[in-house]
């Protein structure tokens, strides 16, 4: 069965080979799009350039016409028509300054569009539909073989050869030239011309020649050496383009649309004309082909068969034009995108100086847009109707090398008015002729004010990254015509490019302004830190006085009762507290072990004392000193020093003295709710982080560097321990971590050699010392409780007055009768288990637990009396 099918197929192919005319006709009538595509796919071959003859350029009659020809200011597909005096267009990778906006002056996909919210964006919806070329309409119904000057076999062979070229080439000019040569063998006209439909960015159509006067023996270079631009719907070619209908004119002089002036000038006699439209798959006219003077005698005219043959071959021209349009449009858009990327790269190279950035922006825009002047206005944040700075550049300045750009200059007042209008409306402004524009009052009032300076104007707002605020305005004046050097209007293409440019400019300007702001802030911070360091450090005289006292005589720890858990500072003066601090550092061997200078230690202690606020009732220097004394007692009397390293002891003593530096008398909750600047710096433990920052500032201040004797590794380790110790005084962190500590000690799993366990212990010791007032003798505890309540009530008053909220019972002055019961709750929830655990680790720490338990009994009694109405509270 298979052999039979193969034999029949061979017979059928042989018959088709013998009847090529039928084969060709059948293919034209029946071939589907898929069949054509398959035929193309099997015959794709590499592009080969057309070989051209070396004949000299011939000056043909129509090329010398003065009324129909003009410089090719705007050409289709190839951007610029080549001529002997024209330099080829730059390659896609050419830097921005070598590319002009006019090269993209044709309908392309918009660079910038508005999204659903009205904001400008580079991303648009995929509105391009797939291009489908129907198989039956490629050649048209009129492509029927027969007639003409060649056999059907020759016509079919030529057609297949042409199909092969169409499938593998995108050179419109070369392929259309070849099509005309094929047609000439069928129609035998004297000459042929090809005009393509072009559109500028304003959607105005025109016709421009791609091939002109193609004759038998003419080369591609001769036929494409000039550009002729024709108006739409004027003349025979313009009429065919506008109507989409062919014209077969036997006598051109009898047609009123024919312009005989060309023949009069050149001496060439035009007799018959066959002019047909070239259409794409959407039945849109994309070009016009024209054949002049049918050969065969003076009165010869083009026949209907000529019309059919011409139409059939022009169908291939339509395919060529469509494919080339898609290809060249994509190439042009790719090149346009490269321009924008080059601009973005240029802008983002400079982020440090606004003046340099503005010069780059103005220079790039002037070079690309070919305007006479560019002005960049920077909006003033403090005023709605003014600009903080202005940068002005003329086109001539592009060749100059300036050390510093001219940022502020005397710009014509009307420039400011247009810029202010654009800034207020947030909309672009394009005026083709300022002297004739009557929309603005200043133009009507003084029409001649700028007639000699500004004619065309394009002004676009520069927005911030959120697109909701105008941070500047870019203004161009007087677009220059490359050919005539005259001033012309800015078109839609210029508007789109400037809108896209200003998006990148906005980002660049905002980033540069932000950089300048950060630089100024850093400079201010440096100055502020220098001033703070000076004022935060103790006076040199005071430091020397303390140093003299230390050298002469410092009371012993025993005489000051520093090693007693029941210690109270109420009987000590401020100078005695600083002396006692020096004594603790000496008795812990910190001065000797770390080679501390007495001058540095004395100044550091006095500087720490100075940085506690005196107007804070409880969290002041006295509280810090008492916390340090409690740590000293735990280390010495509690016998914990032997289990800790010298660096740990040093870190704990510095941390206890510094753990509430610059306390404001309010807690973290108040700082967060009041939107204090400190709340913007830290997401948790706000005040504790601030205390550590202050501690670090003092340690690094001149004269206070008590850690200068440490190695680099020791210094880093000590600072890390100090930071963690100070943060541990946040009771919120204490509540999170204490469970792990209690569990380790309860199960006898605490390991002194384990760094994580010791870090946990240091944190618990910091809390134990911070709240150690609860362990003091009752008179001392009650007095300290009154100081704490005073501070809390002041915060409660602020919450009522400033935050308009009702304070908690702890901060509420009106709930002071609940202080005893709240103290009992505080002891039960926070204190007891901690002191029980420490006492379990070292029996020498048990006085803390005992003092806490005794005070609980006192607070319990007061709470019961308060409930009976016997006492009214503490303060």
């Amino acid at each position: 069965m298979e052999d039979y099918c193969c034999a029949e197929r061979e017979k059928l192919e042989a018959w088709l080979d013998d009847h090529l005319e039928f084969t060709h006709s059948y293919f034209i009538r029946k071939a589907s799009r898929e069949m054509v595509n398959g035929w193309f796919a099997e015959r794709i071959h590499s592009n080969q350039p057309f070989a051209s003859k070396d004949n000299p350029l011939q000056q043909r009659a129509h090329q010398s016409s003065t009324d129909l020809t003009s410089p090719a200011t705007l050409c289709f597909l190839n951007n610029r028509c080549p001529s002997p005096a024209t330099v080829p267009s730059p390659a896609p990778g050419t830097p921005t300054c070598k590319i002009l906006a006019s090269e993209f002056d044709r309908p392309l996909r918009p660079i910038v569009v508005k999204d659903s919210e009205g904001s400008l964006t580079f991303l648009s919806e995929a509105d391009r539909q797939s291009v489908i070329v129907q198989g039956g309409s490629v050649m048209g119904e009129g492509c029927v073989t027969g007639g003409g000057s060649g056999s059907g076999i020759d016509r079919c062979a030529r057609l297949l050869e042409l199909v092969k070229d169409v499938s593998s080439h995108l050179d419109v000019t070369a392929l259309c030239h070849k099509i005309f040569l094929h047609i000439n063998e069928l129609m035998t006209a004297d000459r042929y011309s090809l005009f393509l439909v072009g559109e500028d960015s304003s959607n105005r159509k025109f016709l421009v020649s791609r091939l002109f006067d193609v004759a038998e023996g003419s080369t591609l270079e001769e036929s494409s050496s000039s550009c002729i631009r024709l108006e739409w719907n004027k003349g025979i070619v313009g009429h065919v383009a506008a109507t989409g209908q062919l014209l077969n004119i036997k006598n051109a002089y009898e047609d009123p649309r024919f312009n005989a002036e060309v023949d009069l000038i050149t001496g060439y006699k035009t007799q018959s004309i066959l002019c047909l439209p070239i259409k794409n798959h959407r039945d849109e006219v994309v070009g016009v082909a024209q054949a002049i003077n049918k050969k065969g005698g003076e009165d010869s005219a083009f026949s209907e068969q000529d019309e059919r043959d011409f139409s059939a071959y022009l169908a291939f021209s339509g395919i060529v034009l469509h494919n080339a349009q898609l290809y060249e449009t994509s190439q042009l858009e790719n090149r346009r995108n490269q321009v924008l990327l080059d601009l973005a790269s240029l802008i983002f190279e400079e982020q440090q100086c606004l003046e340099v950035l503005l010069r780059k922006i103005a220079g790039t825009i002037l070079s690309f847009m070919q305007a006479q002047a560019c002005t960049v206005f920077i909006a003033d944040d403090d005023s709605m109707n003014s600009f903080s700075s202005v940068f002005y550049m003329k086109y001539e300045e592009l060749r100059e090398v300036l050390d510093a750009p001219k940022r502020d200059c005397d710009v014509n007042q009307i420039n400011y008015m247009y810029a202010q209008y654009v800034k207020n409306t947030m909309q672009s402004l394009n005026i083709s002729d300022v002297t004739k524009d009557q929309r603005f009052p200043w133009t009507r009032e003084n029409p001649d004010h700028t007639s000699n300076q500004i004619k065309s104007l394009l002004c676009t707002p520069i927005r911030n990254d959120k697109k909701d605020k105008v941070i500047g305005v870019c203004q161009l004046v007087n677009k220059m015509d490359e050919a005539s050097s005259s001033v012309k209007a800015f078109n839609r293409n210029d508007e789109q490019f400037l809108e896209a440019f200003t998006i990148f400019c906005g980002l660049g300007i905002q980033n540069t302004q932000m950089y300048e702001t950060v630089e100024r802030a850093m400079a201010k911070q440096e100055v502020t830190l220098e001033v703070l360091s000076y004022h935060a450090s103790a006076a040199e005289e005071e430091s020397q006085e303390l140093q003299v006292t230390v050298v002469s005589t410092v009371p012993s720890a025993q005489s000051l009762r520093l090693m007693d858990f029941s210690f109270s500072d109420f009987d000590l003066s401020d100078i005695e507290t600083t002396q006692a601090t020096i004594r603790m550092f000496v008795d812990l061997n910190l001065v000797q072990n770390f080679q501390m200078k007495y001058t540095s230690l004395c100044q550091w202690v006095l500087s720490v004392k100075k940085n506690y606020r005196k107007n804070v009732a409880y969290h002041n220097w006295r509280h810090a000193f008492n916390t340090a004394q409690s740590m000293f007692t735990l280390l010495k009397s509690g016998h914990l020093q032997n289990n800790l390293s010298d660096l740990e002891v040093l870190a704990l003593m510095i941390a206890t003295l510094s753990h509430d530096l610059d306390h404001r008398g309010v807690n973290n909750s108040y700082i967060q709710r009041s939107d204090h600047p400190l709340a913007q710096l830290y997401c948790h433990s706000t005040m504790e982080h601030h205390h550590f920052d202050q501690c670090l500032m003092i340690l690094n201040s001149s004269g206070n560097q008590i850690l200068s004797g440490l190695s680099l590794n020791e210094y880093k380790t000590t600072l890390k321990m100090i930071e963690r110790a100070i943060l541990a005084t946040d009771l919120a962190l204490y509540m999170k971590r204490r469970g792990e500590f209690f569990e380790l000690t309860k199960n006898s799993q605490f390991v002194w050699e384990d760094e994580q366990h010791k870090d946990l212990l240091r944190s618990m010791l910091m809390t134990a010392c911070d709240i150690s007032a609860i362990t003091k003798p009752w008179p001392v505890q009650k007095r300290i409780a009154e100081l704490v309540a005073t501070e809390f009530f002041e915060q409660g008053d602020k919450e009522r007055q400033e935050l308009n909220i009702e304070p908690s019972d702890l901060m509420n002055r009106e709930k002071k009768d609940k202080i005893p019961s709240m103290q009992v709750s505080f002891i039960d929830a926070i204190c007891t288990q901690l002191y029980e655990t420490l006492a379990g680790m070292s029996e020498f720490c048990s006085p803390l637990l005992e003092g806490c338990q005794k005070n609980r009994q006192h607070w319990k009694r007061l709470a019961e009396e308060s409930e009976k109405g016997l006492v009214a509270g503490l303060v």
Side-chain angles (χ1 to χ4, degrees):
M1 183 66 181
E2 183 176 351
D3 294 339
Y4 173 78
C5 292
C6 292
E8 289 297 318
R9 186 183 300 111
E10 290 176 0
K11 290 180 180 180
L12 180 59
E13 288 184 0
W15 187 89
L16 291 174
D17 290 339
D18 293 336
H19 300 81
L20 289 178
E21 187 174 345
F22 171 82
T23 303
H24 176 250
S25 174
Y26 183 83
F27 177 80
I28 294 301
R29 290 183 289 106
K30 298 293 186 177
S32 65
R33 178 170 177 264
E34 288 73 17
M35 292 172 62
V36 175
N37 289 341
W39 191 93
F40 283 164
E42 292 181 3
R43 289 163 175 78
I44 292 296
H45 58 278
S46 59
N47 293 345
Q48 298 293 332
F50 275 95
S52 60
K53 299 179 180 179
D54 295 329
N55 294 343
L57 182 65
Q58 300 178 7
Q59 300 296 328
R60 295 193 174 272
H62 284 51
Q63 294 173 359
S64 62
S65 175
T66 57
D67 59 338
L68 292 180
T69 60
S70 63
T73 56
L74 291 171
C75 294
F76 191 70
L77 296 176
N78 273 348
N79 302 330
R80 193 178 310 233
C81 292
S83 66
T86 304
V87 179
S89 300
T94 307
T96 304
C97 60
K98 295 182 180 180
I99 303 177
L100 304 180
S102 59
E103 299 181 27
F104 305 92
D105 193 9
R106 52 168 293 190
L108 297 174
R109 180 181 60 84
I111 306 175
V112 181
V113 296
K114 289 187 177 181
D115 58 19
S116 57
E117 298 179 355
S119 300
L120 294 177
T121 175
F122 286 102
L123 302 177
S124 62
E125 297 180 0
D127 53 359
R128 298 193 176 195
Q129 300 178 351
S130 300
V131 176
I132 302 177
V133 180
Q134 301 298 330
S137 63
V138 172
M139 296 299 297
E141 296 179 358
C143 185
V144 181
T145 60
S149 61
S151 68
I153 297 176
D154 292 338
R155 190 177 285 115
C156 181
R158 294 191 191 98
L159 201 58
L160 291 178
E161 182 184 352
L162 190 60
V163 170
K164 184 190 299 183
D165 290 331
V166 170
S167 68
S168 58
H169 288 71
L170 288 172
D171 189 330
V172 178
T173 307
L175 277 175
C176 288
H177 182 266
K178 194 167 188 178
I179 289 173
F180 282 165
L181 294 181
H182 278 276
I183 293 174
N184 186 57
E185 295 180 9
L186 298 176
M187 294 175 49
T188 62
D190 187 47
R191 60 191 64 189
Y192 305 86
S193 296
L194 172 66
F195 298 89
L196 301 181
V197 177
E199 277 187 53
D200 58 22
S201 58
S202 301
N203 295 322
R204 291 189 297 267
K205 291 184 178 182
F206 56 88
L207 291 160
V208 62
S209 65
R210 175 56 62 90
L211 290 170
F212 194 70
D213 278 359
V214 178
E216 185 176 0
S218 65
T219 64
L220 176 63
E221 289 77 9
E222 294 168 347
S223 303
S224 60
S225 60
S226 296
C227 272
I228 298 175
R229 178 167 171 168
L230 304 178
E231 294 186 31
W232 190 257
N233 204 18
K234 286 190 177 182
I236 293 175
V237 175
H239 174 80
V240 171
T243 62
Q245 301 296 323
L246 68 83
L247 285 178
N248 190 346
I249 303 173
K250 295 181 179 180
N251 189 338
Y253 284 84
E254 295 178 357
D255 194 304
R257 292 163 295 197
F258 176 70
N259 190 341
E261 294 181 6
V262 177
D263 285 1
L264 294 176
I265 296 173
T266 62
Y268 182 83
K269 176 69 174 180
T270 301
Q271 183 64 35
S272 58
I273 298 175
L274 178 59
C275 195
L276 279 81
I278 303 173
K279 299 183 179 181
N280 61 15
H281 66 286
R282 291 190 295 266
D283 204 37
E284 298 169 343
V285 177
V286 294
V288 174
Q290 178 179 259
I292 299 177
N293 290 353
K294 172 76 173 179
K295 292 182 179 179
E298 185 176 348
D299 296 328
S300 296
F302 293 101
S303 66
E304 292 184 1
Q305 183 61 41
D306 292 332
E307 294 178 8
R308 286 193 294 269
D309 290 338
F310 206 6
S311 176
Y313 275 89
L314 290 182
F316 284 99
S317 298
I319 296 175
V320 171
L321 290 176
H322 177 70
N323 292 340
Q325 284 175 10
L326 292 179
Y327 175 74
E328 294 190 25
T329 298
S330 65
Q331 289 292 94
L332 201 58
E333 289 188 350
N334 179 65
R335 191 176 178 195
R336 185 180 67 177
N337 293 338
Q338 185 62 48
V339 170
L340 297 176
L341 288 175
D342 289 344
L343 174 70
S345 175
L346 185 71
I347 287 177
F348 292 117
E349 281 178 358
E350 178 58 54
Q351 297 283 290
Q352 298 182 6
C353 179
L354 185 60
E355 287 85 350
V356 176
L357 176 67
L358 293 180
R359 176 171 180 80
K360 285 187 175 183
I361 291 174
T364 303
I365 294 177
L366 275 178
S367 175
F368 185 81
M369 306 288 283
Q370 295 290 288
Q372 285 186 357
C374 174
T375 310
V376 181
F377 302 84
I378 303 301
D380 189 349
D381 292 335
D382 300 326
S383 175
M384 288 292 294
N385 298 313
S386 65
F387 297 100
S388 61
S389 58
V390 177
F391 182 86
Y392 178 77
M393 177 183 280
K394 294 182 179 180
Y395 186 83
E396 294 77 13
E397 296 179 43
L398 294 177
R399 301 176 181 86
E400 300 177 7
V401 179
L402 302 177
D403 294 332
K406 296 183 292 183
R407 185 171 179 176
D408 296 299
C409 53
D410 184 17
V411 184
N412 192 295
Q413 181 65 28
I414 198 168
N415 292 22
Y416 281 98
M417 294 179 182
Y418 288 118
Q420 188 63 51
Y421 172 83
V422 170
K423 177 177 178 290
N424 294 339
T425 60
M426 300 180 69
Q427 298 294 327
S428 297
L429 182 65
N430 188 352
I431 303 177
S432 57
D433 192 340
V434 171
T435 60
K436 298 178 181 179
D437 191 274
Q438 297 296 313
R439 288 177 293 175
F440 303 100
W442 55 82
T443 306
R444 295 193 297 269
E445 294 169 1
N446 195 2
D448 298 326
H449 186 54
T450 59
S451 58
N452 296 326
Q453 299 179 17
I454 302 175
K455 185 175 182 181
S456 59
L457 179 142
L458 178 59
C459 205
T460 301
I462 302 174
R463 304 169 189 265
N464 62 354
D465 57 345
K466 296 180 180 179
K467 310 293 188 299
D468 60 351
K469 179 183 178 184
V470 175
I471 62 174
V473 174
C474 181
Q475 179 174 277
L476 297 176
V477 296
N478 294 348
K479 181 176 177 65
M480 297 179 291
D481 190 300
E482 300 172 59
S484 62
S485 298
S486 60
V487 175
K488 61 180 181 180
F490 294 96
N491 55 34
R492 180 53 188 160
N493 179 58
D494 299 322
E495 292 181 26
Q496 289 182 352
F497 265 113
L498 193 58
E499 285 177 358
F501 280 178
T502 54
I503 290 178
F504 291 108
C505 295
L507 293 174
I509 290 173
Q510 193 171 26
N511 290 345
T512 305
Q513 288 177 329
M514 189 178 301
Y515 182 88
E516 289 184 342
T517 302
V518 170
E519 269 200 328
R520 287 193 296 269
M522 291 178 66
K524 289 181 180 179
Q525 182 186 35
E526 188 175 348
V527 174
T528 302
L529 286 175
E530 182 183 356
V531 174
L532 285 175
S533 177
Y534 173 79
H535 290 286
S537 298
E540 186 176 350
E541 297 79 8
E542 188 179 0
S543 176
Q544 290 177 351
E545 181 181 349
L546 177 59
Q547 184 180 350
V548 171
T549 305
V550 169
V551 173
S552 60
T553 172
V554 173
S556 65
Q558 289 78 7
S559 64
L560 292 171
R561 301 182 62 241
L562 293 176
M563 300 178 67
D564 294 349
F565 285 102
S566 60
F567 171 82
S568 171
D569 69 301
F570 289 142
D571 296 331
L572 298 181
S573 64
D574 282 350
I575 188 63
E576 288 176 324
T577 59
T578 57
Q579 293 174 356
T581 303
I582 300 295
R583 169 55 62 189
M584 289 188 285
F585 272 72
V586 172
D587 286 4
L588 289 171
N589 298 321
L590 299 179
V591 176
Q592 300 90 324
N593 291 341
F594 300 107
Q595 294 85 44
M596 291 184 186
K597 297 179 181 179
Y598 273 104
T599 53
S600 298
L601 179 60
C602 291
Q603 184 156 344
W604 178 78
V605 171
L606 291 172
S607 297
V608 170
K609 173 178 174 291
K610 186 176 182 180
N611 278 269
Y612 279 95
R613 303 194 178 200
K614 296 181 179 180
N615 62 336
V616 177
Y618 174 67
H619 290 96
N620 49 37
W621 161 249
R622 293 288 178 145
H623 167 66
F625 171 71
N626 278 296
T627 304
Q629 184 275 330
S630 295
M631 183 64 72
F632 177 78
T633 306
L634 279 172
L635 295 172
K636 302 294 284 186
S637 302
H639 294 189
L640 295 179
Q641 183 179 7
N642 297 332
N643 295 316
L644 300 173
S645 67
D646 292 336
L647 282 179
E648 289 178 294
V649 173
L650 175 64
L652 287 171
M653 290 304 297
I654 293 176
T656 50
L657 285 168
S658 308
H659 80 281
D660 275 331
L661 277 170
D662 195 42
H663 200 290
R664 283 70 184 312
V666 292
N667 59 16
N668 287 331
S669 175
Y670 180 87
I671 293 293
Q672 295 287 343
R673 286 183 294 180
S674 62
D675 292 328
H676 194 278
L678 283 173
Q680 300 177 8
L681 297 177
Y682 316 104
C683 58
H684 65 87
S685 304
T686 305
M687 289 305 300
E688 286 73 22
H689 277 102
H690 178 61
H691 302 326
F692 173 70
D693 287 346
Q694 292 295 111
C695 170
L696 202 58
M697 183 194 73
I698 297 174
L699 285 172
N700 291 328
S701 299
S702 177
N704 296 289
Q705 297 163 338
I706 61 175
L707 302 181
S708 59
L710 275 63
S711 66
L712 180 59
N713 288 335
E714 290 175 334
Y715 179 77
K716 291 181 178 179
T717 302
T718 303
L719 286 186
K720 191 64 179 177
M721 288 192 291
I722 293 173
E723 180 182 18
R724 292 185 64 82
I726 291 178
L727 293 180
T729 59
D730 183 357
L731 286 180
L733 294 182
Y734 162 74
M735 296 300 291
K736 290 180 180 179
R737 304 191 65 190
R738 68 173 188 168
E740 181 184 358
F741 179 69
F742 296 157
E743 193 68 21
L744 286 174
T745 55
K746 179 181 178 181
N747 298 327
S748 301
Q749 295 177 342
F750 185 88
V751 179
W752 287 97
E753 291 76 17
D754 190 315
E755 178 54 35
Q756 291 185 352
H757 291 185
K758 293 183 73 175
D759 176 67
L760 197 56
L761 172 63
R762 292 193 297 268
S763 298
M764 297 300 112
L765 291 177
M766 287 296 298
T767 301
C769 296
D770 191 21
I771 62 174
S772 61
I774 202 70
T775 69
K776 301 297 181 180
W778 173 245
V780 177
Q781 154 65 184
K782 186 177 180 182
R783 184 173 174 183
I784 293 176
E786 291 173 351
L787 294 174
V788 174
T790 300
E791 183 176 307
F792 284 178
F793 291 160
E794 289 177 356
Q795 176 177 324
D797 295 340
K798 289 182 179 180
E799 290 176 351
R800 277 200 182 94
Q801 298 168 6
E802 299 175 10
L803 304 182
N804 196 27
I805 62 174
E806 185 66 19
S808 64
D809 292 349
L810 187 63
M811 309 289 177
N812 196 339
R813 192 183 300 276
E814 298 174 0
K815 302 291 182 66
K816 62 181 179 180
D817 56 316
K818 293 186 178 182
I819 289 179
S821 62
M822 287 189 290
Q823 285 290 91
V824 173
S825 300
F826 176 75
I827 293 172
D828 293 342
I830 305 295
C831 309
T832 302
Q833 193 173 5
L834 175 60
Y835 292 130
E836 286 176 347
T837 304
L838 292 178
M841 295 185 70
S842 173
E843 60 179 344
F844 301 103
C845 297
S846 57
L848 291 173
L849 176 61
E850 294 169 0
C852 180
Q853 291 172 338
K854 290 179 181 178
N855 286 327
R856 186 188 187 283
Q857 295 175 1
H858 288 292
W859 288 118
K860 181 66 174 175
R861 177 179 53 82
L862 285 179
E864 293 172 351
E865 292 177 356
S866 178
E867 290 179 1
K868 297 176 182 179
L870 299 179
V871 294
L874 291 176
V875 292

